[in-house]
Every structure is written in structure tokens, then in C-alpha cells.
Amino acid sequence: MLEGVTMAVNVDEYLLHALKEDITSEDVTTNAILQKKEFGTVDLLCKQDGILAGIKVFQRVFELLGEVHLETSYQDGDPIYKGEKIGHLKGDMRVLLSGERTALNYLQRMSGIATLTYECVQILEGSKTQLLDTRKTTPNMRIFEKYAVKVGGGTNHRYNLSDGILLKDNHISAAGGIKKAVELARQYAPFIRKIEVEVENIDMVQEALEAGADIIMLDNMDNETMRQAVEIIGKQAQTECSGNITKERLLELREIGVDYISSGALTHSASILDFSLKNMMPIKRYAF
Amino acid sequence: MLEGVTMAVNVDEYLLHALKEDITSEDVTTNAILQKKEFGTVDLLCKQDGILAGIKVFQRVFELLGEVHLETSYQDGDPIYKGEKIGHLKGDMRVLLSGERTALNYLQRMSGIATLTYECVQILEGSKTQLLDTRKTTPNMRIFEKYAVKVGGGTNHRYNLSDGILLKDNHISAAGGIKKAVELARQYAPFIRKIEVEVENIDMVQEALEAGADIIMLDNMDNETMRQAVEIIGKQAQTECSGNITKERLLELREIGVDYISSGALTHSASILDFSLKNMMPIKRYAF
Amino acid sequence: MLEGVTMAVNVDEYLLHALKEDITSEDVTTNAILQKKEFGTVDLLCKQDGILAGIKVFQRVFELLGEVHLETSYQDGDPIYKGEKIGHLKGDMRVLLSGERTALNYLQRMSGIATLTYECVQILEGSKTQLLDTRKTTPNMRIFEKYAVKVGGGTNHRYNLSDGILLKDNHISAAGGIKKAVELARQYAPFIRKIEVEVENIDMVQEALEAGADIIMLDNMDNETMRQAVEIIGKQAQTECSGNITKERLLELREIGVDYISSGALTHSASILDFSLKNMMPIKRYAF
Amino acid sequence: MLEGVTMAVNVDEYLLHALKEDITSEDVTTNAILQKKEFGTVDLLCKQDGILAGIKVFQRVFELLGEVHLETSYQDGDPIYKGEKIGHLKGDMRVLLSGERTALNYLQRMSGIATLTYECVQILEGSKTQLLDTRKTTPNMRIFEKYAVKVGGGTNHRYNLSDGILLKDNHISAAGGIKKAVELARQYAPFIRKIEVEVENIDMVQEALEAGADIIMLDNMDNETMRQAVEIIGKQAQTECSGNITKERLLELREIGVDYISSGALTHSASILDFSLKNMMPIKRYAF
Amino acid sequence: MLEGVTMAVNVDEYLLHALKEDITSEDVTTNAILQKKEFGTVDLLCKQDGILAGIKVFQRVFELLGEVHLETSYQDGDPIYKGEKIGHLKGDMRVLLSGERTALNYLQRMSGIATLTYECVQILEGSKTQLLDTRKTTPNMRIFEKYAVKVGGGTNHRYNLSDGILLKDNHISAAGGIKKAVELARQYAPFIRKIEVEVENIDMVQEALEAGADIIMLDNMDNETMRQAVEIIGKQAQTECSGNITKERLLELREIGVDYISSGALTHSASILDFSLKNMMPIKRYAF
Amino acid sequence: MLEGVTMAVNVDEYLLHALKEDITSEDVTTNAILQKKEFGTVDLLCKQDGILAGIKVFQRVFELLGEVHLETSYQDGDPIYKGEKIGHLKGDMRVLLSGERTALNYLQRMSGIATLTYECVQILEGSKTQLLDTRKTTPNMRIFEKYAVKVGGGTNHRYNLSDGILLKDNHISAAGGIKKAVELARQYAPFIRKIEVEVENIDMVQEALEAGADIIMLDNMDNETMRQAVEIIGKQAQTECSGNITKERLLELREIGVDYISSGALTHSASILDFSLKNMMPIKRYAF
């Protein structure tokens, strides 16, 4: 949840930095036009169908700048439709104008990711297979993007290199085989970690099972091999399928019965969901 | 250019922060497998056709982590093709493994933007019309994304709210009309600023001209109105067209002869260009 | 305006850093004397005639430290006179004592710059010539110093190296002449930038005009040459005169009719305007 | 000494921040003209007589940006004269151009302060009286300004509120008299601190002596009172005179035999000492 | 006092950093269980006898995270006993759960140091000898640990290398003897500094006295030598004894009549004082 | 491993901050004595028997300050003995003097923790039971303290609140029972997380097993109950014992056959291991 403690400890600094990126000395245009504090209102409009994500981040951007209040009956995860009025902001008009772009940049990207995730999750609906994200996120956006995946119905894979063990091809060859790699990981890692191993064929599946992997990632396998792998593994480990996941491929994979499918595209290639602030109106008096 | 002074002053802090996002205590997997420094090499492979952007950022990520050397004959702006080997990294294998994802996340996003920009610029080739980006960039990625637009052949609009005057609908209504808004801006703004005004119809074009706008943004006009606007404006101001620019629309707009077309999609909705690090090989001795 | 959004995004961090510079562990003297919170009041007195600048910065320093309220009927730009009581602070006496020096250091320097600027602007009063600042500001004080120039009636030149093009002698020789330099700048720079060229003689003026410079800086010219330059340029470009501007020289230059005169001394050699906090009095009860 | 450990721990962050203040995205002008690394040289010229201070800070600014080497036979404290060539820089021309203003802004301000300090110290030459600075420094410039005072021959007063006890009028009244204030300070403060008390008349001098003050600050006294105070105090405490110190007043005060005179003007009202970078020349090959 | 100005300027950043150390993305456990804001209460219990230190730091950790109110009748320095309820927290349960460990880590360490200090100070009770801390503090904990020493009845030695002169063996040999070292220090240091010299035998005591040292540190001397040193020094300088101070040794040293005894163990080897948060209860409505 | 990538990304900032804590303007003593760079050597001596931890952190502190080289044949984990010379530093004497305390503060604390851990691990030697640390670390020291535990032969529990699920009493009651809590955690948490549940009696053990907990923490149980719990759990989950672990208790617990024992005392109550820098000697020439 991007609110409360998480906002205070891990989010505010990103928002403030993004504001500094957009305002390095002052907002020249706004300060030219409004040389003193005046109050006004503006509407947040949705311009495409999708899933809302990031409404509290959107709101927080304005709060960091000054006196602004958001009225909305929507919350993250709600389906929204083109043309809907999602919220109504009132407050210092200079804050509304200066914060608009940064607030929308977060909201649009997060809602875009939630929307794409939701579409993919719908395809898996009714199966046991769950959709995972990856570490292929935009730099300095991970906390926002992984949260958006969750809002869209996806499940988060490890957050970063510090909180999960994933032995990939390069680690395995550096260690001298799956068995040795798993052993080294088990000795080294905090005891609370599960160990995941990436495999490419049935022999490696066997090795991973013998080594005692908790999760086995089936990487770039054809359907037949994957089906075989899933059968061999059974309940001995969890299975994750990865590699160029398209919507069509999701349909095939749900039949195979893999536990998890991970998709980098959720975060690295989602289009934004479009919003705008419209109908700014000065208001005479102002009270929260 | 994302190198030299710009790298030292404005880029390194983002890269280091992105690395901290991915490594909050240590890279558990890599440190489990490689408990001391060992040298190796790995190839940077391109997995889609496109335009390369961010190769020095990619390299810098590794340099911030330790001893790694990149050999490459490519530079930003080069066309690259699926399957090509773009570079060869050698150095501390732990650095190669721990930096891989962050380095690729930058390279992929920047090359994706450069590629989309290049495709759009091709459509305008031969006309006088130039392609602009917007402030609809991913938070904390602006310096990378605007640079990628330039690599792809685009032109940068203002960097942020502090270095350009753009009077939009809300500013104009707050000021009480275009004339008043331009006057306020001229009085307030640093003398080195051009003044741009957003207009929606022919009357507003006239007003903007009379007020002495340096640039007039024609927002969401139909082709006929835009043609008329361009004619009226002539050489009295520069013209910029904005609003939901698709590739098809670019073709129409190049005929109308607007000076600039701005597109938010270049930065907010480009897919990444896919790369990977492959063929890691330990090497016995190592020298730069 | 150093308030609102600008304060939140760009000013607070400087103020907090300045406070950390003055208090690296604790204010030993104040904490020795006042070991618990006690309320009091103190007066802000002006000790020299001048122009007030930075009153909200002064106030903000205390607010960052704790509970303090400033009562004042003055605002930035007001003429103030020796002996006047500019404001009345009430609040936590430890905050008043610990914040005093940092708050005054800002107020004194900003008011000193506003005062010097005002004196220079008075000399140009009635002419079309406007007074500009430069980038010769005290490091990490630019936002305060450029604002003070504006409060004193001056106009801001570019804020920094990122938001204006100014081709000086070294750039011109590196590029191989004015024409080439302007061309390179036009290709490279964001389209919203004006291009300014520094020239030293009439030939260079001609070159700059032919190259299409938006602004021409007449550097260290004698009056006769400058007069000639201004005449040649006419309305084809704006003119800026720079180089060792004294008050006497301002009188001569206003006659020549240059558009702008820039002066580094406004920010690098203004004396402070003296203020002090006096008459601290404990108060029994306290309410905002 | 602003070099070595002090530079690494306490100075670099200010220099880097000042560079970020001047380059918020990139140096547009320089990057337009020099699109790849080219080497060149430039001279550092002195334009006024004075005392050099800050040459290593000047040099460090360039080093933070890239490859630049300074050749100079001057060091801080050297007298320098108008027209002298103080140093010769060679290196990446983009670094020379982008760092020029920030490097000069430090050098000019520091040398200006050292020069003014030197002039005042000369007046006291031969007497036992030493010249002190104050905390009236420019915010975020204290480490540079106090060092410059030392270079000019002055002595530093306490660095900040954390490392010295100075009981001023407000502290004394809050504590209920000098005796009580000194007692509280002695109990509270780290044992290594001297205790200084500000007094305004002879009665207070007596009180301060009885309370056991280590240093007595004679604030705004006329010459006769000060002479009497100095006599009474004798060797029981050190004496410091403060308040609107002009050069004329220094002459009078040296006769009275006070131990120290403190002057805020040294740091808050010194003009800069003018320098410039001239004669940039491209060079073919480059080696340190 | 760790509150007010000191908290705002020097403490908050440490607390926030410590929270970021414990929450790098989100508190997964708490957010899983409490997916929206719910109010509750919890008790702060003391599990060992000792001296309370850091109660406002404890409270501030929660305030930085959200809405939490602490009710307590205890303040720093109070003796507390095993089983006592020290305070009652009410507020957002997610804040209570997420902040618990960090808040307790500060409180436990600070109270542990205050308790050990108090025990040592008791041994010296009735003598003129005071107990000092050292710079042997835990990195990035000095402000908390030195404050805890003071709460326990100890006196602070210099805060750091910038605010005290202490000439140790290595400085003395580098300078070429005590006399030369003291001379160099007196010339170089801010005039407000006392000068302390470390000596190991009676000859060095003599030298230090002749050089005019303000404080003489008697390092690792046996009781007989120390007694002799104290006698020789008399009132000419303050005396400090250092080196492996145990409680037994304190008893001997108080007889010798040294002014100060410094002990690194106070900060580097104190055990924590144990506290816990217990009896969490949801509450229906909530008001401060 | 506190070296390489981890040092660059996660450690350097702590070291630099600790240096800033100790040097807020300059090291007055050292700079007074050594006004220019002079080279010297000094020995690192061990003053107590124990386990070495943090030697690269010790070295890195000096490297951040300037030119210093450490020669040593010891590495972390080596047993060391009172009186041994652990290393020999050579380089800029000002760096040696100014960095000494901070470098030792890290080394002493880390080695103290490693030594205590080692002693406890010895008691468990030969059994299957492993020793765990906790989150009861000193604020802003976790990365150093958890590493020291590992050096001493311990195993790390979760690093922080973001990378492990641990359902404690308060979470369980907030969720309404163990079953519900585990369910919520499984739904919410990244799929790579194991789920640990804290239980206090046999009924709760049963509940935790039925809920499918991966790890069961047996909190403050008597030996008999714990034995029973371990038997019931068998291989269905891992077992962790926590709560006031003394060395005596370790002996009893190893017999019961619990998988893990966690001890807060390892990090919150270890005494330091004493080291010192001795025998500083100037050297004429210097080369790495």
C-alpha cells in the first residue's frame, strides 16, 4: 500500500525529487500569472478505460507543494472509463498548476501498468496460474511499478537483489553446476530465503529437484517440454515460467498448469493510461 | 550528451540511486556464488532492430560498482539489428552480475525511446517540420528520456517548468486573457525566455499574435483550422502542434507545414528495445 | 517569489543545510540557559536605510526549527529606514535564539542586494534600459540572490548554464566563428531558447546579426562603438551591455539606448543591509 | 586548510551542489559547440591587487567535472597583482567552459575576504591585538569564508553554535543575570569549552569577572569605557571588542590594548577580488 | 536536550535513515495483516532496572511515520524498574507495528548507556571528580550516545575533532615535542578553544605546564605517578585521567583527586536496557 | 561480504557520514600540527583475543580520506590474539590521524560482535542447531552488525521488515488468529517469501502447522514444551527458538534439537574488541 508508513519512509523522497526535476528554480509561467495565493478548483478526468492506480501518490504530490485537497470516491484498483471525472481538487491555484504534470506523470504510468496487468490476469482467470512481475522496472520507479502490478491483480516477484535468491545460468556456471550453486546459496543466504533456480531443459529440472530448489524457473521452454517439466516437478517445488510472454502465450500456458508466469512487459512496455486536469476555476473563499 | 560534465554533475546520482533501489543490503545470489573477486567476460546482445541510446549510461552503471571495461564500436544513434553483438564487457564477475539488470533497464528504455522517435522523425523527413518531446516523461528519468529523444533525431522542448514559458488554457484564464498573460510573462520572466502561448481556435491565434507571442501552440485543432492558423501566423511566430499525435497524423501534419509537432508518447508510451547479457565466461588473468 | 511551491521544492533544503552548518550537534549556549521550552518575543529592527528582501525566508528559518510566529506589515520590496521596527517574533525562545543568526544572515544579504539593485535601477528610471544580473552569484545562494535582484527592480538574466544560450569568445573560437557557433547552437538547443552572442567590435556585430542572434551582448566597448552598435542593430536583436558597470557608467549607457545592462556587482559585491533582533522578553502564556 | 581530509569530508559536497545549481540538466552552450572531448588550455588572470585565497577550491571544482590540470606557482596567502597570470589550466575544454563560473565564484569571494582581512590586519600589525571573524557569514559558505579570513591573517572565532559558549544579552536576561548564566553554562557545556560573556558596561565587566568568564566581549563601548574595562580585566580573562568595526576604529582600538577585535564585515561585506579565464586555446595532444 | 531545535536540525535525519534501513520497500507483514488504517493502543514496558534515556527519540520515531500519541509521566533521567509501565502509545496500529523495533533500538541503547554512566557516577559521588565520555561512540550514533551519558550524570568531553584540541602522543612526536605542539595549536586554533595535552610521565607533565596547557590528560599512569602529577599540576591546569577505567579503578581514582576521568566503555561497551511493547489492543474510535 | 559492489552501493555513504559526524569543519589538532602533507606509518595492534571482523571497512575509512595503504595478512574471521600486530598502515599522516577514531570505532564494534557470536556458535558446534541474529541492531549499523554475525559463524535472520514475513503476537491478534494471518500473508506477500509464525504454546504450534507456516518461532517456552513442540513439528516446518538466550541456555537448547536459535544480544549487547594504532613514524619517501 503506497500510503501511511510506506509513503513517509519510502515514497516522499522520490516525489520530492521528481518535483525538483521539474522545478529547478521556480515555475516561471505560474509565478508570472499568479503573483499571490489564490484559490481554485480543477477536475481530474480520465481519458481512457482502464484500472486506476496511484491516486494517493497523485494526491501526495500536491500535498508536498502546499494546500490542496482532493475529493474522490475512487480508490486504487477501481475500473475507470473514458470521460469519467475521477476527482476534484481544490486549493492554492499555484500548487495545482505547478504540481499538475508531476502528479499526472505518476498516475498515468501507474494506471497504465495496472491496466495491462489486469488484462493479462483476466486471461489467467479461473486457472491456478498467477502472474508475476520482474526486476525489469524503470530505474527509480520500482516501488511505484511493483505496487501497480499488485493493484492490477498481479503478484510481486522478489523486490530486488537483496531479498531473493535466483540462480540463473551465469550463477550456475560460475558455481560449477546446479547442485553446487544451491548448496552455496543455502549456506550463504539468510535462513528465511527460498531458493529459486533457472533451468532450460529436463535434465536441469532433475538436477534442481535433487538439489532441493524451492522454486524452479522454466526459461524459454517450448510447450511440450514445459508440460513435461511441470509433471516431473509435481508438488516438490513451485514452478515459474518466464521469457517473452505475450497474451496468446498466456492462454497456452494456463493450460499447462505452471504455478507462476513472470512478465517483464508489465512494467517495461506498458503504455500510460491518459488523464488530464481540466476546468480550472478560481473560487472566492476556501476552506478544507 | 550524457557523458563528461553532465554525467558527473547530473547523472551519477540517479544511477547510484537506482543501484541502491536494486541492492538494499547486498546481492545475495552473487555473493553466495562468488565469494571472492574473479574475472570474466560477457557479451551485450541486441534482440530487436532499433536505434542505440544510452551506451555510456550502461557502461557507467558498471563503473560505479567496480572494475569493468566495455569494448564496443557502437555509439548512441547507431542503427542496430536483432542478434548483433553490441559490446563485450570484461571485469569483476560480481560487478557484471550485480549491475546487469540496472544497466539494461536504462539501456532498454533509452533505446526504446530513441527507436520510436526515429520512426516518427522518418515520417517527417524532407519536410520542414520537426518533432518535439514534452514534459510527459517518467519521474526521475527526464534527463535520460529527453536525451534519448535527441538521439532518435527529435528536438527537445523546454526541459522543465523553470526554463520555458508556456501559457496554457488555465494560465490564460487565471490571467484574464492572452494579452494580459503575455504581458505578465514578459514582465516577470528572465529576459532570455521566449514566450509560448497555447491556442485552440483562430481568434486565439489572432490574440496571441497581437500580444507578441514568440511561439504559438495549436492544440487539438482539426486539419483545416490548423492550416488556416499556420497561414495567418506566417513568419510572425513559430508554430507547434500538439495533442494525440499518431504516426498517421504525422503524415497529414507534415503537409500543413507546422514548424514543430510535440508528442508525449515518445517518452510515456515507447516500448523498450530488448537487449541481454549472454555468454559469461570466467577468464584467468585480467588486465585493462 | 520565494514562498509557496518554490519554498517547498527549492528553498527549504538550503535553509536546513545552513542551519546544520551553524548547529552541528546542538546550540550549547541556548540549551544551557533554557533547559525547557519557554515563550518570549523579540523585535526585528532595521539598522540602515534600504529595500527589504527575504522576509519570508527569514520567517521560514524559524518555522523549520519550531513554534515561532512573525507579525509584520512589511513585504519584500518595501523601502525601510534605519531604526524602524520591521517585525515582531513570538514563540519558543530557544528557537528565537538558535535561529537568529542564520535568519539574519539571509535577510541581510538579500536586502543588501535589493538595495544596491534599487539604487542602480533608479539611475536608469525613465529610460528604456533595464538592469540585469549575472551568474556571478555566491555559490549555493543563487536562488536567493537572483530573487533579491528582482525585488530591487532588476531583471533576471538566465538562471544557469542549462536554461540559456550565451556564446562567449571562447565558444566562438572553439566553434570557428560566430556564424558556425550560432548554427551549432540552433541545431543543438531546445527550440524554446533564445540565442545570445557576445561581441567586441562592429565587425562581430555584423556577423552576429547575419547569423540571426536573438540577443547581442556588447562587451567592454567604448561609448562611441556601443552607440554605433546599437544603431546598426536597431530592432533586429536585443542588446545587452556588460563589463565593469559603475553607477557613473550607468548614466552614460542610459543615453546610448542599449536594451539591457548586466552587472555582476549586484550579487558579488553588495554590502549587507544591517538588521538585528532586540528586546527579547519572556512571556507568560503563548497562543498563536 | 581546505585540502586533503577537509576537502574530502566537508568541502566536496558544497562544490558539487554549487555545480548542480549552475547545471541543472546540461551546459547547453558548451555542449552545442563541443560535441566531443577536445583538449585546450586557458589562463587564470588576476584583475585586481590583493591576497590569493581558494586556489585549491578553484582547482577542485574542475577536478570534480573531469580531466583538468592546474599549473601554478602561487599558493593561498600570496599577494597578487592586477594583470598577473596566476595559473594555467589544461584539459577537456568542455570542463574548462562548464566549470569556469563556479570555480571563479569561489575564488573571487574567498580572495576578496582574504584581501579585506589582510588590510585590517595590517592596521593592527605590531600590536598585541588580533582580528577575529564572526558567524555573520554567507549561508552555506562558512567553511570557505572562515578559511579565507585565516588566509588573510585573521583568527577564527567559534565556528558555530555547537563549539563555543557565548552568553549574549538575551541569554543573560533569560538566565537572570551573568552569574547565573555562567553557572548554567559551566554545568551544561562540554568541559573543554571556554565561556565567553558579552558585557556593555563596567558593572557587567565586574560581574563577568566574578562569575569566572574566560573571555569577556566588550560590546559597543566608547573608547574610554573600553580602556577602563581592559584595565580592570587585566590578565583575569581575555578581552574581545565587537560592534561596527571600521578601519579608523581599528587604529583607536589597537591603542587600547584589547586582545581581540571581531568584525562581521570581513565576511558579510567584502567585495570580491576579480579574476578571469582568458586565452582559451585548443591543443592537439594532451597528457598530464 | 534531544528535542526542539536539536531534534529538527540534527536528529530527524538519523531517525528517518534508520527507518529506511528497516523498511526498504514496505513492512510486508504489517501491510498484509492491516490493509487499512485501524487504531489501537500498546504499552511500553521496562524489563530491567535502570535510568531512562531517549523517551523523546522513541516518540519521534513514531511521529515520523504517522499518527501516534505517547502518554507518559516519565522523563529522561528518571530511575525505572523492571515491570513498570513507562508509557502508553495510541494511534495507527500499522505505525505502531512498523516503528516498534527502530524506536526500541534507540531507547534500549540510550537507556543502557545512561544506566552504566549512572552506576559509575554513583561511585564518584561526593568527590570533586567528574566522569567524561570519549569519541569511542558507535558510528552515526554520537549525538544519541553523548546525550545518554549526560542523562546518566556524566559530562561530555569534546564532541568531535572539530571542536576541541587534544594533542596526543602522535601529534606531539609529529610536532617535535609538547612545547612546539602547544605553540602550533595556539596559533592555529580558533581562539575559543582550550588546549589539552596527553602525557605519560612526570617529565611530560612539567613540559605541558610550561607550555601552558589548559588541560592535562594523564594517560595510563599508575596510582602513585598520578597522585604526584595531580599534586604538581595543582590549579595550573585541569586534569583528566584516561585508560581502561573499571569500576574498581574509579574508587582508587576518586581518592587521588583528579578533576575528570574519561571512559570509552560508557559508550562502546554498555549493554542495552531491555524494554518491550506489549498488550496491543484495537480501539474503536480515536482522538488525540 | 563488505567489499566490492556492496561497499560501493551500501557502505560508503555510512562511512562518509560517520566521518562527517567526527569532522564537522576540520580536524583542528591535526591541521595545527601538520600544515602540509607528510608521510608516515603506524601499526594496528590487537589488545584482546577474539575474531577479526571489519578489516576492509577499517581500510576503506582511510581510503575515503586520502592516500593510505594497509598491509595485512589477516582477513575477516581470523582468530587474533592480544598483542598481535594486525596490520601496518602507511600514507599521509594527516589522514592517519584524522581517520583513526572512526576506523577503529567500526573495527572494534564489528570484531566485538564477531567474537561474541563465535563463542556462542562454539557451544552449538557438532549439533544441527544454528545461531541467528535479530533486528535488534544499533540504528544505522545493521549492515555492519549482521555481517559481523556471519563472520563469527552465525546465520542471518531476515535483514529487515521488507524482506521477511514474521507474524508475531500482535499481528496474529490483529488478523484474528494464526490461520487468518497466514492466509493474509500468503495472499499479500511476494511469492518468494517464506512465512514464519511466532507461537507460545502447543496449541499455537498445531494451528501454525495447519496454516502451513514455513518456519515456527518458539517464543519463551520452557524446555519441556519446546521439546514437545519440536517433536510435533518434525520436518513439517523449520523451528526457531527465541527469548533471552544465555550461554547456559544454549547448551540446553542444543539438546532439544531446535533448528535455529536467535539472539538479540549478539548485536545489542556485545562489548567491543579493543584495538589501537601505535608507533606512528614519519617516513621520508613514500610509494604505494
Side-chain angles (χ1 to χ4, degrees), chain E residues 128 199 202 205-206 208-210 213-218 225-240 256-260:
Chain E
K128 69 167 219 183
V199 302
I202 296 300
V205 168
Q206 296 285 12
L209 282 174
E210 281 156 27
D214 296 298
I215 310 168
I216 297 177
M217 180 196 280
L218 310 167
T225 313
M226 193 163 322
R227 203 181 310 270
Q228 207 181 332
V230 167
E231 201 173 19
I232 290 168
I233 294 166
K235 287 185 180 304
Q236 299 175 79
Q238 289 181 297
T239 51
E240 174 189 347
I256 295 177
V258 74
D259 295 321
Y260 293 94

Side-chain angles (χ1 to χ4, degrees), chain B residues 66-80:
Chain B
E67 275 187 275
V68 163
H69 182 68
L70 169 68
E71 286 163 7
T72 181
S73 58
Y74 289 80
Q75 51 188 8
D76 284 352
D78 285 351
I80 53 178

Side-chain angles (χ1 to χ4, degrees), chain B residues 82-192:
Chain B
K82 185 174 174 175
E84 278 187 331
K85 179 172 152 186
I86 303 304
H88 183 71
L89 288 158
K90 53 184 190 177
D92 181 341
M93 281 201 289
R94 294 185 299 186
V95 171
L96 294 174
L97 288 164
S98 298
E100 171 181 355
R101 187 72 264 138
T102 299
L104 287 176
N105 283 347
Y106 275 108
L107 185 67
Q108 296 192 149
R109 182 156 187 82
M110 293 174 73
S111 297
I113 289 171
T115 301
L116 175 56
T117 303
Y118 180 79
E119 290 163 11
C120 294
V121 165
Q122 287 312 98
I123 297 170
L124 298 175
E125 187 69 26
S127 77
K128 71 167 219 183
T129 307
Q130 293 185 41
L131 187 67
L132 290 175
D133 56 20
T134 66
R135 283 169 45 246
K136 295 179 181 176
T137 54
T138 314
N140 293 316
M141 287 293 289
R142 185 164 293 166
I143 201 166
F144 305 99
E145 295 187 352
K146 286 204 160 241
Y147 168 76
V149 165
K150 198 177 242 172
V151 168
T155 297
N156 294 146
H157 203 303
R158 62 176 172 170
Y159 189 78
N160 62 23
L161 289 172
S162 297
D163 71 349
I165 304 281
L166 175 40
L167 296 158
K168 306 182 107 176
D169 50 356
N170 292 324
H171 300 104
I172 291 167
S173 61
I178 289 178
K179 195 176 160 213
K180 185 65 185 157
V182 171
E183 231 166 75
L184 284 167
R186 190 156 290 132
Q187 275 161 35
Y188 186 85
F191 92 113
I192 202 137

Side-chain angles (χ1 to χ4, degrees), chain E residues 14 17 21-22 24-26 101 105 135 137 140-142 160-162 166 170 188 268 272 280, chain F residues 14 17 21-22 24-26 29 101 105 135 137 140-142 160-162 170 188 268 272 280:
Chain E
Y14 286 107
H17 202 288
E21 186 188 44
D22 202 31
T24 40
S25 54
E26 59 166 334
R101 187 73 264 141
N105 283 347
R135 285 169 46 247
T137 54
N140 293 316
M141 286 294 289
R142 186 164 293 166
N160 62 24
L161 290 173
S162 297
L166 176 38
N170 292 325
Y188 187 84
H268 69 51
I272 61 149
M280 182 164 289
Chain F
Y14 285 106
H17 202 287
E21 184 188 45
D22 202 31
T24 40
S25 54
E26 59 166 333
T29 312
R101 188 73 264 138
N105 283 348
R135 284 169 45 246
T137 54
N140 293 315
M141 287 294 288
R142 187 165 292 166
N160 63 23
L161 289 172
S162 297
N170 292 325
Y188 186 84
H268 69 51
I272 61 149
M280 182 163 290

